[in-house]
Amino acid sequence: CGEIIHYNNYSVSFCENIKMSEWTIYYSTEKRQSGKLPRKNNFRQDPSLNGRDAKLNHYAKSGYDRGHLVPASDMKFDTTAMSESFYMTNVVPQNPAFNRGIFNKLEKRFREWVNEFDSIVIITGLIKNDVTEYINGENRTDIYDSSFIPVPNLFYKVFFDIEKNRAISFILPNGKSNSSDLLDYSVSIDSLERITGLDFFYKMPENIELQL
């Protein structure tokens, strides 16, 4: 459903029908991870979309966090990057126990790997299977129309090491985790592609894509 939007330091596939992005992608390096800019919680709509993305009050009293797909902590190297990470196109409803728990732990692990390996592409997205819950500005979750935002059941992250042509991916349920071991949530790229319907590395030579 994506409408590709390129910001200065990351890109999204924005879906107007759900008022959020189905995936994000950005490039990270050890140097970028060393940025020291402070986080500024400036959540706001993308002015270029003329109100087609979610409003802040969609999340008010919903019980869900305004969860980042591209972490603000990965954008500390540049003021524009930090600012744009708070566009609502980069925000999704996340269970607080998930956002502040296993998902935060995975983001920190990715940063450790970036510092170790350098030159990394990170893809983060959502999976909506049999959605049963929605949020909107009136904090109602019982019906659906175009003003309601579905709560994703699952989220995924892909870590791609450009220098050594290797990758790992994870699928995590949007709730309190049953395991603290991140590898319990790792899946093959192939299985993630089947679930999402996306071909992550279609532009790469076939032998490398199969390797990944």
Side-chain angles (χ1 to χ4, degrees), residues 56-106:
L56 269 67
N57 69 0
H58 277 101
Y59 289 81
K61 299 180 181 179
S62 69
Y64 289 93
D65 284 355
R66 297 185 191 105
H68 283 74
L69 291 174
V70 175
S73 294
D74 287 6
M75 299 288 119
K76 291 181 177 181
F77 62 92
D78 180 83
T79 53
T80 300
M82 172 63 73
S83 176
E84 290 182 339
S85 74
F86 285 90
Y87 280 151
M88 296 304 288
T89 50
N90 187 41
V91 170
V92 289
Q94 291 183 343
N95 183 298
F98 170 77
N99 182 35
R100 307 168 200 181
I102 194 72
F103 199 61
N104 181 52
K105 183 176 181 178
L106 184 59

Side-chain angles (χ1 to χ4, degrees), residues 9-20:
N9 293 283
Y10 73 96
S11 297
V12 305
S13 175
F14 174 70
C15 302
E16 183 176 355
N17 63 319
I18 58 173
K19 296 186 181 297
M20 56 187 174

Side-chain angles (χ1 to χ4, degrees), residues 27-28 110 118-123 158-168 189 200-201 204 208 212:
Y27 176 70
S28 192
F110 272 31
D118 209 17
S119 302
I120 302 299
V121 169
I122 297 174
I123 304 168
V158 179
F159 181 95
F160 172 34
D161 183 345
I162 296 172
E163 297 295 331
K164 296 187 177 179
N165 281 329
R166 56 185 176 180
I168 186 170
I189 301 292
F200 291 103
F201 305 120
M204 302 196 70
I208 294 177
L212 292 171

Side-chain angles (χ1 to χ4, degrees), residues 129-134 141 151 153:
N129 289 339
D130 302 320
V131 169
T132 59
E133 191 162 358
Y134 302 83
T141 60
V151 178
N153 309 89

Side-chain angles (χ1 to χ4, degrees), residues 21 25 32 37 44 68 74 78 88 93 135 176 181 201:
S21 298
I25 185 169
R32 289 187 172 193
L37 286 173
R44 66 199 188 281
H68 283 74
D74 287 6
D78 180 83
M88 296 304 288
I135 64 172
K176 186 176 181 179
D181 188 346
F201 305 120

Side-chain angles (χ1 to χ4, degrees), residues 187-205:
V187 297
S188 69
I189 301 292
D190 192 46
S191 63
L192 180 59
E193 288 184 336
R194 286 196 300 269
I195 293 169
T196 61
L198 299 173
D199 186 354
F200 291 103
F201 305 120
Y202 70 96
K203 285 189 175 183
M204 302 196 70

